[in-house]
Amino acid sequence: MREALFTVSQRPDGTLIGENAALGLAVCAMERESLQEEARDALIHAVGPAHVSYRVRLQPSPRCSAIALPSGIRH
């Protein structure tokens, strides 16, 4: 199974941003669960039926290590 890794950062207003540079995808949401769903939907749109061979994973951005992301943002 392949992995679609979305690096997560947080805007000052609390919005979570997930980016996957390899596939050129970016999604946003207010909660981790919603971000996971948005990432999955973006992946489906980008790769079509092949999405079943991918697992979506969210990982905090290294530049956000000083920022306290909501609990649950783990890799």
Side-chain angles (χ1 to χ4, degrees), residues 3-4 10-12 16 22-23 26 32 36 39 47 55 58 68 70 73:
E3 185 169 83
Q10 187 175 26
R11 291 184 183 159
L16 299 173
L23 295 171
R32 182 193 180 281
Q36 183 88 23
V47 300
R55 179 180 86 126
L58 304 179
I73 301 285

Side-chain angles (χ1 to χ4, degrees), residues 61-72:
S61 170
R63 63 183 176 212
C64 289
S65 59
I67 299 173
L69 291 177
S71 62

Side-chain angles (χ1 to χ4, degrees), residues 3-35:
E3 185 169 83
L5 178 64
F6 284 78
T7 303
V8 180
S9 58
Q10 187 175 26
R11 291 184 183 159
D13 69 357
T15 303
L16 299 173
I17 308 296
E19 297 175 288
N20 179 298
L23 295 171
L25 302 175
V27 295
C28 64
M30 292 302 294
E31 298 175 352
R32 182 193 180 281
E33 293 79 16
S34 297
L35 189 66

Side-chain angles (χ1 to χ4, degrees), residues 1-5 20 23 53-57 59:
M1 179 166 276
R2 299 180 203 174
E3 185 169 83
L5 178 64
N20 179 298
L23 295 171
S53 66
Y54 284 85
R55 179 180 86 126
V56 171
R57 185 164 69 99
Q59 174 178 300

